[in-house]
Amino acid sequence: MAEEFSPKKKTYVEDIERTLYDIRDEDRSAYKTHSGLTKDIILDISKRKHDPEWMTEFRLKALETYNSMPLPTWGPDISELNMDEIVTYVQPDAKMTGNWQEVPEDIKNTFDRLGIPEAEQKQSLAGVGAQYDSEVVYHSIQEDLVKQGVIYTDMETALWEHGDIVREYFMTLVPPKDHKFTALHGAVWSGGSFVYVPEGVHVEIPLQSYFRLNAAGAGQFEHTLIIVEKDASLHFIEGCSAPKYNVTNLHAGCVELFVKEGARLRYSTIENWSRNMMNLNTKRAIVEKDGIIEWVSGSFGSHVSCLYPCSILHGENARCEFTGVTFASKGQNLDTGASVIHAAPHTSANINTRTISKAGGAATYRSAVKVTRNAPFAKCSVNCESLMLDSESRSDTLPVMDIEGDEADIGHEAKIGRISDEAIFYLTSRGIDEEEARAMIVRGFVEPIAKELPLEYAVEMNNLVNIELEGTMG
Amino acid sequence: MSQLLEIKDLVAGVEGKSILKGLSLSVGKGEVHVILGPNGSGKSTLMNVIMGHPKYEVTGGSIAFEGEDIADLKTFERAKKGLFLSFQTPEEIPGITVENMLRTAKQAITGEKVKIVPFRRQLKALMEELKMKPEYAERYLNVGFSGGEKKRTEILQLLMLNPKLAMLDETDSGLDVDAVQIVSEGVAKFHNEENSCLIITHNTRILEKLKVDKVHVLMNGEIVEEGGPELIEEINSQGFTHILDRHSEGK
């Protein structure tokens, strides 16, 4: 064991440097609903959001569904979550604008600290959406994309300006009855992004939406709806964070991605919620013939996370690439993974994940791969590796495979382990000290994933591994 | 002559079981020494103990390097003093490229920031000499390398890090004729009057380009015989039993 190398000291990778995220702004919301979930609250939210009538009805129906459904019987314990204490709608004291100068200063400062306007200015982003609590406060898109017919806006604007498209797709891929928290989402959703990329258009520079939850005891329920038409392509980045409070916050977002024939969508998420967050998020993509969905998913924050982006490979030759990294530290139970449904011939999927747990954190990799009878010659390969940095931490791997058809090519490789003493000896025999050797091995472990992350986020992840310190515990 | 490495009455083992039972051995500066011995006699253990592998416990004797007792030093400190071990089965370490590892190691050993341009130039030239494809610099350390590629990578590290004492643990085993040739040329390139080699081998081909100063025969945790290069011939033709018999008679 590693202890043999330095009996009096114990190396550990520090928790993620959270200082940046933990700066809270004073609560200066314009309006908050009462906590809890009643028909009156839903009607109140709907009225304040100026929903079209069909949406008000949609919400009420979703509320009924919510009330009729039990809590999920599997996954991490979420009994701490008391919906009666959650404020589902917090309207910030700001109107949506396309000019950072018009965003209230403290809100703008928050996004400055996160580096969003800077990235936009450097044109490493072609469009930016910034949500603060329940509403989007800033939105922009490059002019040339607008000219090509690309739509990138908040969901509220989309409801009115592109109502037909929204109504055609909204919560059809993730229906409210999917599970209790999608029903909740259907009832109280607010904010999020709508992206429409017309046929043949390639959005070369990524769009990024950032979600910031500032209010204590609140929930965030943003809805992201992306449609990439035939032979078009897009890279969409989603980031989220929140300052830490002593009360439970809830995130139950929903992401629906429609990847049409020959289209390609890369969806990158870096989630760094604070350690009081219940993150019960649902993401799903449906991919048509020759289309490609690429998920890049980094889960670093939250108290409890349940996150298993699902890809339905609906058309022949549709493909899914899933790349994920999860880092669970003290007080965290992160249950993450992916799900793939092969529903057409010659569909293929690659799932590649790394999880790290330390300081008593629990990380579970959970996946479901289904190959239906309609998917001859489906190909799927799963590679999940876990690294536990100490003996208090937990790591589990729960891959499920359900293969109905013949002629499927399925591969699965799982590894759970600790840092190998022989690897440390090898590196130290080259003059590298033990701390650095351990850090190198941890960095090396996540390297295949880190290189897929958007640059700023890859730097952030490396920083967190670099904060490898000589502890005094042990 | 001043001794670079001086081991006296070394007793070491693992989990309470002694493997080295009072072993003494000295290597002078500029010398090439060969250790021969049957399987399980403690040859690899000796090199691991000299390098400071934490798995082994030293319960007696001393190990001095350049006159300084290094028994309490950690492995990385020994490496910084100028010790190097070429592993019999090098570890595969995912996510760390050969170049990145070497740069970090070189920086650690010299204590100076490595200048990237001359470093790369040297790396490229040495890889060429070892007949390694340049893209191996960007590959993860030993991951998916063949046996021969792993050994060549060990010699690449030896040449890049330029230690005072190179310990080669069966660097030639499992290699084809051409690969042994490349590896032995690499070792010959490394060796000069200022540094020393301690070589474990079952094969004489790796020694063809080197002038062997001394041969030690290690059996059952002890050096049972020492001599010149002629011992290699003798063992090759008559085997270890012959030496053992002579040793028992001597007692």
Side-chain angles (χ1 to χ4, degrees), chain B residues 116-149:
Chain B
I116 197 87
V117 176
F119 171 82
R120 284 222 168 119
R121 197 180 299 135
Q122 189 194 6
L123 183 64
K124 193 166 168 264
L126 289 173
M127 288 180 77
E128 240 172 68
E129 283 184 44
L130 294 167
K131 302 206 166 43
M132 294 174 73
K133 290 186 192 126
E135 59 262 32
Y136 274 67
E138 288 306 311
R139 290 211 18 198
Y140 296 151
L141 192 57
N142 296 323
V143 177
F145 286 22
S146 70
E149 286 163 348

Side-chain angles (χ1 to χ4, degrees), chain B:
Chain B
M1 191 201 279
S2 73
Q3 298 298 340
L4 181 68
L5 177 73
E6 191 155 23
I7 296 170
K8 277 188 187 149
D9 306 321
L10 183 65
V11 182
V14 60
E15 286 156 7
K17 184 177 150 260
S18 285
I19 300 171
L20 304 179
K21 301 160 181 169
L23 179 150
S24 298
L25 182 154
S26 297
V27 180
K29 195 167 146 188
E31 294 178 351
V32 174
H33 288 221
V34 172
I35 299 178
L36 300 175
N39 294 330
S41 57
K43 303 185 300 294
S44 290
T45 298
L46 174 62
M47 289 195 171
N48 277 295
V49 168
I50 297 171
M51 204 66 228
H53 196 306
K55 185 169 94 180
Y56 298 97
E57 198 188 354
V58 175
T59 50
S62 63
I63 307 172
F65 190 71
E66 295 187 305
E68 183 195 349
D69 187 348
I70 58 165
D72 288 333
L73 294 186
K74 292 187 173 184
T75 299
F76 80 93
E77 293 167 324
R78 298 182 196 206
K80 286 169 91 162
K81 295 255 176 232
L83 286 110
F84 180 92
L85 172 56
S86 166
F87 288 80
Q88 194 178 345
T89 43
E91 278 290 302
E92 299 190 4
I93 308 184
I96 303 175
T97 65
V98 170
E99 178 176 341
N100 178 8
M101 193 282 289
L102 271 171
R103 206 170 54 226
T104 312
K106 193 153 186 160
Q107 201 143 302
I109 283 176
T110 59
E112 284 166 22
K113 196 141 179 62
V114 168
K115 290 205 180 74
I116 197 87
V117 176
F119 171 82
R120 284 222 168 119
R121 197 180 299 135
Q122 189 194 6
L123 183 64
K124 193 166 168 264
L126 289 173
M127 288 180 77
E128 240 172 68
E129 283 184 44
L130 294 167
K131 302 206 166 43
M132 294 174 73
K133 290 186 192 126
E135 59 262 32
Y136 274 67
E138 288 306 311
R139 290 211 18 198
Y140 296 151
L141 192 57
N142 296 323
V143 177
F145 286 22
S146 70
E149 286 163 348
K150 284 180 182 171
K151 296 298 174 70
R152 272 185 263 179
T153 307
E154 294 292 287
I155 299 305
L156 175 67
Q157 295 177 47
L158 170 70
L159 290 166
M160 287 295 290
L161 300 177
N162 195 26
K164 291 174 183 159
L165 174 67
M167 295 186 281
L168 311 179
D169 187 356
E170 295 198 22
T171 300
D172 50 359
S173 70
L175 300 189
D176 61 35
V177 185
D178 294 344
V180 173
Q181 174 86 3
I182 293 166
V183 161
S184 74
E185 278 169 13
V187 177
K189 182 184 165 70
F190 159 77
H191 181 58
N192 59 38
E193 290 164 5
E194 297 298 313
N195 61 38
S196 312
C197 297
L198 186 57
I199 301 171
I200 296 175
T201 182
H202 287 293
N203 194 318
T204 48
R205 278 203 303 265
I206 193 173
L207 306 172
E208 276 165 15
K209 297 206 157 45
L210 295 165
K211 185 187 144 296
V212 175
D213 293 289
K214 204 164 183 181
V215 176
H216 311 261
V217 182
L218 178 58
M219 293 177 91
N220 196 22
E222 287 174 272
I223 302 290
V224 294
E225 188 143 339
E226 290 181 326
E230 69 283 355
L231 255 180
I232 300 172
E233 281 302 308
E234 190 184 336
I235 286 167
N236 271 349
S237 56
Q238 303 183 56
F240 289 111
T241 349
H242 169 72
I243 302 275
L244 192 62
D245 292 346
R246 191 160 70 202
H247 178 61
S248 329
E249 280 160 26
K251 271 185 176 174

Side-chain angles (χ1 to χ4, degrees), chain A residues 4-6 9 420 422-423 425-434 436 440-441 443-445 447-448 451, chain B residues 48 51 53-54 74-76 79 84-85 87 90-91 93-96 101 104-105 108-109 140-142 154 157:
Chain A
E4 288 170 284
F5 285 92
S6 47
K9 291 176 288 177
S420 130
E422 292 303 323
F425 180 59
Y426 188 93
L427 292 176
T428 54
S429 80
R430 301 309 188 233
I432 297 164
D433 69 48
E434 289 147 34
E436 177 60 19
M440 282 176 86
I441 291 167
R443 276 200 300 267
F445 176 75
E447 212 269 343
K451 69 181 183 203
Chain B
N48 277 295
M51 204 66 228
H53 196 306
K74 292 187 173 184
T75 299
F76 80 93
F84 180 92
L85 172 56
F87 288 80
E91 278 290 302
I93 308 184
I96 303 175
M101 193 282 289
T104 312
I109 283 176
Y140 296 151
L141 192 57
N142 296 323
E154 294 292 287
Q157 295 177 47

Side-chain angles (χ1 to χ4, degrees), chain A residues 68-114:
Chain A
S68 69
M69 287 187 95
L71 281 168
T73 51
W74 52 276
D77 179 16
I78 51 170
S79 57
E80 293 165 57
L81 177 66
N82 181 353
M83 272 314 292
D84 294 338
E85 290 172 1
I86 297 286
V87 176
T88 53
Y89 181 71
V90 181
Q91 186 184 15
D93 186 13
K95 287 264 172 298
M96 196 186 78
T97 167
N99 180 353
W100 282 110
Q101 300 312 316
E102 291 168 17
V103 175
E105 198 162 10
D106 52 352
I107 296 181
K108 179 180 177 290
N109 287 343
T110 302
F111 287 105
D112 273 339
R113 281 196 298 270
L114 297 165

Side-chain angles (χ1 to χ4, degrees), chain A residues 313-318 341-348 370-380 403-410:
Chain A
L313 304 177
H314 188 250
E316 208 172 328
N317 279 320
I341 298 164
H342 292 266
H346 298 284
T347 48
S348 63
K370 187 181 170 81
V371 178
T372 66
R373 278 189 198 87
N374 305 325
F377 311 110
K379 235 177 130 171
C380 181
I403 317 297
E404 286 177 351
D406 309 328
E407 299 175 281
D409 177 358
I410 308 293

Side-chain angles (χ1 to χ4, degrees), chain A residues 118-135:
Chain A
E118 197 193 335
E120 182 186 19
Q121 215 167 29
K122 283 192 301 193
Q123 308 217 328
S124 54
L125 296 172
V128 169
Q131 176 160 343
Y132 199 83
D133 291 331
S134 297
E135 297 288 352

